[in-house]
């Protein structure tokens, strides 16, 4: 019996004038996977995430979440259907406190405009926000405005907000970007403890290969808007095309996608 993938794209393509930023990318992600998306700058990784999460409409191709088309749906609508994301540059409100950010996400998670019309501070929501803040190690700075919070903690706030939306699928865009080397693994441990506790499926873009190797069950490699490999970390890291075009950041001739099944 074939199960319906949590996320599936088929021949997903987007053009900006004469430039093809993502070209016929077909991906299947099943529930429970942790998938890393790698590639050099300009490979189309964030553009792909922007299409999947409703921030950019594809030129052609399809996107389905649990078998239902999402093309044309807004990011807000996709949150209601179980998809959430964080951003390479955290999308935060500088004059709001850390706690208010989590409360705002919890209100959005209610799935209706009514949730945003209620007062953010209420006993039940405050208790839930406290639990989220504690899980992410943010309770000590809960009443601080985010403009006074260091970059690493801003990343955690952004990801905590995404998880507070209670998604089935979480997309992370370079979660360790701008974070010091010493902070990267501790930050990712906190994030993945929360992900595992929630049973959330993950697709994340990342340049740090140590982070990718440690956390993913599968890797997709992009180069020039094309997916050039799809497989286990061992398969993809040992692929000669990936090693040349992605890991060493050098141009290479077009090559067929390497998949887990070894299909071209």
């Amino acid at each position: 019996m074939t199960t319906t993938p949590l996320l599936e794209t088929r021949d997903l393509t987007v053009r900006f004038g004469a430039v093809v930023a993502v070209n016929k990318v077909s991906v299947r992600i099943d529930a429970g996977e942790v998938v890393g998306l790698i590639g050099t700058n300009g490979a189309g990784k964030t553009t792909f995430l922007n299409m999947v999460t409703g921030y950019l409409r594809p030129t052609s191709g399809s996107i389905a979440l649990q078998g239902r088309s999402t093309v044309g749906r807004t990011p807000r609508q996709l949150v209601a259907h179980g998809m959430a994301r964080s951003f390479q540059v955290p999308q935060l409100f500088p004059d709001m406190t850390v706690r208010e950010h989590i409360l705002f996400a919890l209100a959005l998670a209610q799935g209706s405009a009514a949730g945003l019309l209620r007062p953010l501070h209420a006993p039940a929501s405050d208790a839930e926000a406290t639990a989220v803040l504690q899980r992410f190690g943010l309770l000590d700075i809960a009443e601080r405005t985010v403009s006074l919070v260091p970059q690493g903690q801003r990343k955690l706030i952004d990801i905590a907000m995404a998880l507070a939306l209670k998604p089935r699928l979480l997309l992370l865009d370079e979660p360790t970007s701008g974070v010091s080397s010493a902070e990267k693994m501790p930050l990712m441990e906190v994030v993945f403890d929360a992900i595992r506790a929630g049973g959330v499926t993950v697709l994340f873009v990342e340049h740090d290969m140590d982070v990718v190797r440690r956390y993913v069950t599968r890797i997709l490699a992009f180069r020039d808007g094309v997916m050039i490999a799809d497989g286990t970390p061992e398969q993809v890291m040992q692929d000669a095309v990936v090693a040349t075009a992605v890991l060493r950041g050098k141009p290479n001739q077009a090559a067929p996608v390497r998949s887990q099944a070894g299909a071209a």
Side-chain angles (χ1 to χ4, degrees), residues 92-108:
L92 306 175
F93 302 98
D95 296 325
M96 284 174 58
T97 67
V98 177
R99 180 182 294 276
E100 286 169 341
H101 279 81
I102 303 303
L103 288 168
F104 182 73
L106 292 172
L108 282 175

Side-chain angles (χ1 to χ4, degrees), residues 69-94:
S69 175
T70 66
V71 175
R73 295 185 182 272
T74 66
R76 175 72 182 277
Q77 289 171 328
L78 292 178
V79 166
H81 285 83
M83 184 187 296
R85 73 172 288 180
S86 70
F87 295 83
Q88 182 179 349
V89 178
Q91 305 295 293
L92 306 175
F93 302 98

Side-chain angles (χ1 to χ4, degrees), residues 37 43-51 85 88 173-174 205:
L37 179 52
K45 307 181 299 300
T46 295
T47 301
F48 178 76
L49 255 61
N50 286 341
M51 286 191 285
R85 73 172 288 180
Q88 182 179 349
D173 191 359
E174 297 192 32
V205 173

Side-chain angles (χ1 to χ4, degrees), residues 77-155:
Q77 289 171 328
L78 292 178
V79 166
H81 285 83
M83 184 187 296
R85 73 172 288 180
S86 70
F87 295 83
Q88 182 179 349
V89 178
Q91 305 295 293
L92 306 175
F93 302 98
D95 296 325
M96 284 174 58
T97 67
V98 177
R99 180 182 294 276
E100 286 169 341
H101 279 81
I102 303 303
L103 288 168
F104 182 73
L106 292 172
L108 282 175
Q110 294 183 13
S112 69
L116 293 177
L117 295 176
R118 299 188 186 102
L120 287 181
H121 289 279
S125 54
D126 269 326
E128 191 172 359
T130 295
V132 173
L133 291 163
Q134 193 162 25
R135 171 163 284 167
F136 281 86
L138 298 169
L139 198 54
D140 289 346
I141 62 167
E143 312 312 324
R144 191 178 300 175
T145 58
V146 297
S147 60
L148 303 175
V149 172
Q151 176 69 5
Q153 289 178 318
R154 290 187 192 191
K155 285 279 190 176

